[in-house]
Amino acid sequence: MAEQQPIDSLSVLMSEDARKLLVGKGSEFVEQMGLDVVRGVVLDVLTGRNLRDSTEALTRRRIATLNLATVNLFLEGAANSTDFIQQLPYLAADILSRKRLIKAERWLAQWVLGLTDKSVQNVLRDDPTALIKYRDQYIETCKEVIAKHSTTGELTGELKLGSSVQAEINWLFMIYLLNMVGTQTLTIRGSEKSAYGKLFEKLILGSLLHILGFKQVPPKQPGQQEGVFWLSSREDKRESDATLLYQQGKGVQFDIGFIGRGNPEISLDKVSRFERKAEYETAKYHLQTIILVDSIGRNSRIVEMARSINGTIIQMSASYWPKLIAQVLNQTLGYKHELVDMPETDIENFLKSKLIDVPLEKFIGQVQTPLASTDHEL
């Protein structure tokens, strides 16, 4: 930057492309991936592969891009102001004290102080008065760490960005930068986990029900015809993720979650939620319940709990799980489909051929959930 100006925002130090990566919606990532890649991920999940494995490269790319953009932010800020690094925690705390922050600005300011959304809730307890105390403790802790580490020697030098941006580096520069990058990575991983989950829940259920021969219709319209399904929208109260009407008043409610055996309490919560729902809905609609999870622990009680509400738990880690869905529909509704008796060796090729005609664009259009701000310690 040729002329030094006061800095009162962190997002202005990032490129527009980097800012988009902070606030993008899950559906926008589909545009970056391309429908062919998305179709391949859907096929992976339908044939028992792990969604996280299929999306890891995409997550890694976003993290790497934002990590480099953060280096740019430090260099641009330091080049603009000689005391930018020293004042960075104060600037971040000042930004967080403001009202109606856009998510990009909030996230960047939190990361400067080593905070995620979850730690703001758990450490600061959403108390604005605790922020100043935390900021001062953060600065002091970093100084103490530097003082101990400096016995190995002072860190000096310059970093240059192009021909016009350069900044002096020292241990303070590095500790603030590395802390921010680490917190950023943690947040993005949690964000991606939630965003891709929400995105592909719709795509998996919509694709499967389309392949099984059912037609998508708008949710809960009067006089629904038979053999139709709808996907729950974001505006719905936490209902089933998809509803299938096979005949009038007779059908199946689906709930899907990419939940593994390491999160048994979440899987159990899905069943208990449907148990509560069943108390006031099944008498009217006579809906069966199918809950899809990634995998079930060896000693989990979830299968027995599902049976108690006239439901079925199906593990998506099985390479033939769409066949299990077809069999459940056959047993409970009398629905006939070629998958019911199909040899397991033929299932993947069958699904691959059918996926070509699945209107993924329609399902993607329903996904308006922004990348979640909830982070997870992974």
Side-chain angles (χ1 to χ4, degrees):
M1 296 181 183
E3 183 179 346
Q4 292 198 357
Q5 297 177 351
I7 298 173
D8 64 355
S9 167
L10 292 169
S11 60
V12 298
L13 299 174
M14 300 188 88
S15 68
E16 183 179 353
D17 287 342
R19 289 196 296 269
K20 285 181 179 179
L21 283 178
L22 286 170
V23 299
K25 296 177 181 177
S27 53
E28 292 174 355
F29 279 80
V30 173
E31 297 179 11
Q32 297 179 20
M33 291 184 271
L35 274 179
D36 288 340
V37 174
V38 173
R39 213 175 294 274
V41 174
V42 172
L43 178 63
D44 284 348
V45 177
L46 288 177
T47 51
R49 299 179 182 92
N50 192 320
L51 174 65
R52 310 302 173 205
D53 292 341
S54 301
T55 58
E56 173 59 25
L58 303 170
T59 299
R60 189 67 258 173
R61 184 180 294 115
R62 184 181 179 214
I63 289 172
T65 302
L66 284 173
N67 287 170
L68 293 182
T70 300
V71 175
N72 277 37
L73 182 153
F74 270 62
L75 292 176
E76 293 281 2
N80 181 80
S81 174
T82 54
D83 64 347
F84 173 77
I85 299 301
Q86 289 81 1
Q87 294 301 314
L88 191 53
Y90 297 96
L91 173 60
D94 176 67
I95 291 172
L96 291 174
S97 68
R98 302 171 192 171
K99 296 181 178 179
R100 298 177 181 175
L101 282 176
I102 61 172
K103 187 175 76 171
E105 199 68 46
R106 186 184 81 246
W107 271 10
L108 289 171
Q110 288 177 174
W111 296 342
V112 164
L113 295 171
L115 292 169
T116 63
D117 282 342
K118 183 174 291 184
S119 53
V120 168
Q121 298 166 13
N122 296 340
V123 177
L124 302 184
R125 297 182 178 177
D126 294 314
D127 179 5
T129 62
L131 180 61
I132 301 304
K133 181 179 179 181
Y134 174 87
R135 177 203 66 192
D136 293 342
Q137 289 177 336
Y138 178 80
I139 294 172
E140 188 60 32
T141 298
C142 289
K143 286 182 178 178
E144 291 175 0
V145 171
I146 290 171
K148 290 182 179 180
H149 189 76
S150 293
T151 57
T152 62
E154 292 298 321
L155 180 67
T156 59
E158 285 186 347
L159 286 178
K160 292 184 178 181
L161 180 64
S163 57
S164 59
V165 177
Q166 65 182 42
E168 293 185 4
I169 60 170
N170 52 32
W171 286 125
L172 188 66
F173 182 104
M174 293 303 297
I175 198 169
Y176 284 170
L177 173 62
L178 294 174
N179 280 347
M180 184 172 180
V181 165
T183 311
Q184 177 187 84
T185 300
L186 180 64
T187 300
I188 296 303
R189 280 210 169 274
S191 166
E192 295 271 283
K193 182 178 180 181
S194 178
Y196 283 134
K198 286 180 172 61
L199 173 65
F200 282 98
E201 283 170 6
K202 302 285 189 193
L203 296 177
I204 299 302
L205 282 174
S207 297
L208 175 64
L209 293 173
H210 181 90
I211 290 171
L212 288 172
F214 300 105
K215 177 184 176 183
Q216 185 187 16
V217 296
K220 295 178 286 191
Q221 296 293 317
Q224 293 280 13
Q225 60 266 43
E226 298 179 352
V228 299
F229 73 93
W230 64 81
L231 301 174
S232 298
S233 67
R234 189 184 175 197
E235 287 73 26
D236 288 334
K237 293 181 180 179
R238 189 63 180 92
E239 297 181 350
S240 54
D241 293 313
T243 302
L244 165 66
L245 291 185
Y246 179 56
Q247 296 173 340
Q248 194 62 39
K250 185 179 180 181
V252 176
Q253 53 188 350
F254 291 86
D255 196 80
I256 182 172
F258 297 100
I259 301 165
R261 60 187 180 184
N263 294 291
E265 70 285 351
I266 302 177
S267 299
L268 291 170
D269 179 67
K270 285 183 174 293
V271 178
S272 59
R273 176 169 60 80
F274 273 107
E275 186 174 22
R276 293 191 296 271
K277 180 182 176 70
E279 291 175 1
Y280 64 88
E281 283 202 354
T282 52
K284 181 178 179 181
Y285 296 103
H286 303 290
L287 296 178
Q288 303 290 325
T289 297
I290 296 179
I291 299 175
L292 303 174
V293 297
D294 185 64
S295 59
I296 301 172
R298 182 177 300 174
N299 299 317
S300 175
R301 297 180 291 115
I302 192 171
V303 176
E304 288 72 22
M305 288 182 67
R307 291 196 186 109
S308 70
I309 60 166
N310 195 28
T312 304
I313 295 283
I314 290 179
Q315 302 182 72
M316 292 182 286
S317 56
S319 61
Y320 51 89
W321 70 265
K323 176 178 178 176
L324 298 178
I325 297 284
Q327 290 175 337
V328 171
L329 297 181
N330 178 257
Q331 294 163 7
T332 58
L333 305 177
Y335 181 67
K336 293 180 173 57
H337 191 272
E338 55 192 308
L339 265 175
V340 172
D341 298 312
M342 183 175 292
E344 293 176 13
T345 53
D346 296 342
I347 292 176
E348 181 167 355
N349 286 334
F350 170 80
L351 293 173
K352 186 175 182 179
S353 65
K354 292 295 183 181
L355 266 174
I356 295 173
D357 299 321
V358 171
L360 292 178
E361 302 90 338
K362 290 178 61 177
F363 310 141
I364 293 169
Q366 286 193 254
V367 183
Q368 300 299 324
T369 304
L371 289 173
S373 60
T374 302
D375 43 85
H376 302 268
E377 281 77 0
L378 299 180

